[in-house]
Amino acid sequence: MTVTWEGALPSRTYDVVIVGAGVVGCALARELARRPRLSVALVEAQDDVGQGTSKANTAILHTGFDATPGTLEARLVREGYDRLGAYAADTGIPVERVGALLVAWDEEQLAALPRLAEKAGRNDYRETSLLGPDELYAREPRLGPGALGALHVPGESIICPWTTTLAYATQAVRAGVDLYLNTAVRQATWEDGHRLTTSRGTLRARRLVNAAGLHADTVDRLLGHEDFTVTPRRGQLLVYDRFARPLVRHILLPVPTALGKGVLVAPTVHGNVLLGPTAEDLDDKRATGSTAEGVAGLLDKGRRILPDLLDEEVTAVYAGLRAATGQEDYRIAAHPEQGYVTVGGIRSTGLTASMAIAAHVTGLLAGTGLDLGPVREPEPLTMPGLGEAFPRPYQRSGLIAADPAYGILVCHCERVSRGEIRDALAATIPPRTLEGLRRRTRARAGRCQGFYCGAAVRDLFEGGRA
């Protein structure tokens, strides 16, 4: 197994190279790692896995109830929901089955709820129920005044997106996948095999998978295809302090529009509350900054949905870019004559669908003539427990008795121990930055944003990398 951030690339020819180590690319790497005959490389332009859309989404495990029936996305989200739910239970990825409420604030939205329930049924999800205002407010007593009813979707859940991506990548690398970070693809040519010119040298492959997210259209064009154009759609979100968590019991969704699912209020598995996202189509695929206008718009919508939320402290503001392509479906296509598969247009449902997408793409690769060989399941994996609804290391007396480092808190806001930071720095895919360490441990992610613990965390980080 290899994880590298610098240096020359090997001269070998891989059976499969995957471009893009987001949640979908990592899921595919893990899926292909189940085929021990294959040599696989995962290539990422940035310095960590999950650095793009995968790290900045609403962290929801979707049932697919409101997907467009009959689409590939609808099928893969439905399959992925079950696959990822089971995988999370096996690996310790935190999931909370809080359910969702689509809240109607006017008569037009109220009239749309039965149609959404019928749509859910066409997507093979039949557990929805219509709620009147009395039952709605009994379920969510802090909801703003004036709601007329809701559609209850009990299966909608919250999940940790960072742990999911890292779990896939960790199992892939441990099973033999080579992970090349800081490796941007600049050119790609096909002639009896793929030749990728990258920022670290040349890679060769018999099969190529483009899972480059926001840049999937760019990679597609390098191979001579112009099937779609990615328009970055920015979603800004506000993260509220854990004191806000008792205010909301479900994921509170608006009635969807053509631009997306709209602004929601949702708890997180880390104990916070999210408000967002916006939906702004941009030209710049690097525009992940927040704006005063975007924040003001979110606060205005949040005031109606959950008025008491605005009295709580905002601990962070962030923005993510989704890969909009102008089509209400994934852009997944095989080009057998080139031994090439495009995995584009994977939007906010990609986290949920990731394992199903990986299985689907593996089938497409087989259709190009790739001999997959026998299956060997990866070694079991247990991820660090970041979920607030589950016992954290500092609460486990037996763990602390065996290793006192788990009882020494470094980040008091998020209750992150010295042992957790040590483990992250010694992991199969260790963080290269403090932000990477934050995603692996929650250190510096609390109400003080590292004001009190920042120096201590940095000392441990720099010592662990020495």
Side-chain angles (χ1 to χ4, degrees):
M1 66 181 184
T2 301
V3 181
T4 63
W5 291 264
E6 57 189 11
L9 298 175
S11 58
R12 67 183 295 188
T13 298
Y14 287 93
D15 290 316
V16 184
V17 168
I18 304 162
V19 179
V23 70
V24 171
C26 290
L28 178 59
R30 177 193 172 276
E31 181 67 23
L32 293 178
R34 298 174 62 241
R35 309 286 182 156
R37 284 187 191 171
L38 297 180
S39 58
V40 180
L42 178 60
V43 178
E44 169 57 44
Q46 300 193 66
D47 63 4
D48 202 356
V49 299
Q51 279 279 59
T53 301
S54 301
K55 75 174 182 182
N57 54 46
T58 49
I60 294 175
L61 183 60
H62 294 286
T63 59
F65 78 97
D66 60 345
T68 301
T71 60
L72 179 63
E73 179 180 20
R75 177 171 70 83
L76 295 181
V77 171
R78 184 169 61 250
E79 293 176 7
Y81 176 85
D82 292 332
R83 286 175 180 258
L84 181 50
Y87 181 74
D90 288 341
T91 57
I93 297 169
V95 172
E96 291 184 53
R97 307 284 183 177
V98 294
L101 296 170
L102 276 80
V103 181
W105 297 96
D106 58 39
E107 293 293 342
E108 183 179 359
Q109 293 176 7
L110 188 65
L113 296 183
R115 294 194 297 270
L116 286 167
E118 187 271 335
K119 185 179 185 180
R122 285 189 286 144
N123 283 319
D124 291 332
Y125 187 81
R126 297 179 174 83
E127 297 176 17
T128 62
S129 58
L130 295 170
L131 307 181
D134 290 343
E135 188 171 359
L136 170 60
Y137 281 98
R139 289 176 177 267
E140 287 289 351
R142 310 300 280 272
L143 192 68
L148 303 181
L151 181 69
H152 182 217
V153 188
E156 294 286 291
S157 307
I158 52 178
I159 189 171
C160 178
W162 312 324
T163 309
T164 303
T165 304
L166 187 60
Y168 293 156
T170 298
Q171 278 195 310
V173 169
R174 289 182 181 178
V177 171
D178 290 336
L179 172 61
Y180 299 114
L181 299 166
N182 285 334
T183 308
V185 174
R186 292 172 174 165
Q187 293 292 333
T189 57
W190 160 258
E191 187 175 345
D192 295 326
H194 292 278
R195 186 176 187 271
L196 302 180
T197 303
T198 80
S199 56
R200 291 176 53 192
T202 301
L203 273 177
R204 290 175 172 82
R206 297 178 181 88
R207 300 291 188 277
L208 179 65
V209 178
N210 169 12
L214 291 166
H215 303 281
D217 56 343
T218 302
V219 175
D220 218 35
R221 283 162 173 73
L222 294 177
L223 273 297
H225 304 284
E226 296 190 16
D227 297 336
F228 62 93
T229 296
V230 172
T231 299
R233 180 169 292 164
R234 180 167 61 189
Q236 301 182 51
L237 296 105
L238 306 182
V239 183
Y240 282 85
D241 185 81
R242 64 180 61 249
F243 284 133
R245 180 63 182 85
L247 297 178
V248 60
R249 301 172 182 174
H250 304 74
I251 303 164
L252 301 180
L253 299 172
V255 177
T257 69
L259 276 178
K261 293 179 170 63
V263 173
L264 57 80
V265 173
T268 76
V269 294
H270 309 119
N272 304 101
V273 175
L274 291 181
L275 171 62
T278 58
E280 313 154 52
D281 286 345
L282 307 173
D283 296 321
D284 187 353
K285 294 181 179 180
R286 299 167 298 176
T288 56
S290 57
T291 66
E293 181 182 14
V295 170
L298 290 178
L299 291 173
D300 185 59
K301 290 182 171 61
R303 185 174 292 108
R304 182 179 194 185
I305 301 168
L306 204 68
D308 292 343
L309 185 62
L310 273 67
D311 295 329
E312 302 296 332
E313 295 291 331
V314 173
T315 60
V317 179
Y318 70 91
L321 299 175
R322 290 159 280 174
T325 63
Q327 175 178 301
E328 294 301 309
D329 202 357
Y330 296 156
R331 299 295 187 106
I332 300 177
H335 303 277
E337 72 285 357
Q338 289 181 312
Y340 171 60
V341 178
T342 302
V343 186
I346 311 300
R347 299 166 299 164
S348 58
T349 56
L351 170 61
T352 301
S354 54
M355 297 188 81
I357 293 173
H360 177 68
V361 172
T362 298
L364 294 179
L365 286 170
T368 70
L370 179 66
D371 182 5
L372 299 176
V375 172
R376 183 180 65 199
E377 294 300 330
E379 292 295 321
L381 176 70
T382 300
M383 295 301 292
L386 300 186
E388 199 63 18
F390 309 92
R392 298 279 305 286
Y394 78 93
Q395 298 170 310
R396 297 167 59 186
S397 58
L399 183 64
I400 295 168
D403 187 342
Y406 292 110
I408 302 172
L409 293 185
V410 179
C411 170
H412 286 263
C413 293
E414 293 297 300
R415 303 177 182 88
V416 181
S417 68
R418 181 186 291 267
E420 292 169 272
I421 293 174
R422 177 204 60 203
D423 292 349
L425 295 172
T428 302
I429 307 173
R432 298 290 289 178
T433 64
L434 288 170
E435 288 304 304
L437 182 62
R438 178 201 296 244
R439 289 191 296 275
R440 287 161 172 81
T441 65
R442 291 172 48 179
R444 299 170 56 252
R447 62 180 62 98
C448 86
Q449 290 291 289
F451 182 83
Y452 291 103
C453 69
V457 172
R458 180 179 291 275
D459 284 346
L460 290 171
F461 174 72
E462 293 177 351
R465 295 183 62 201

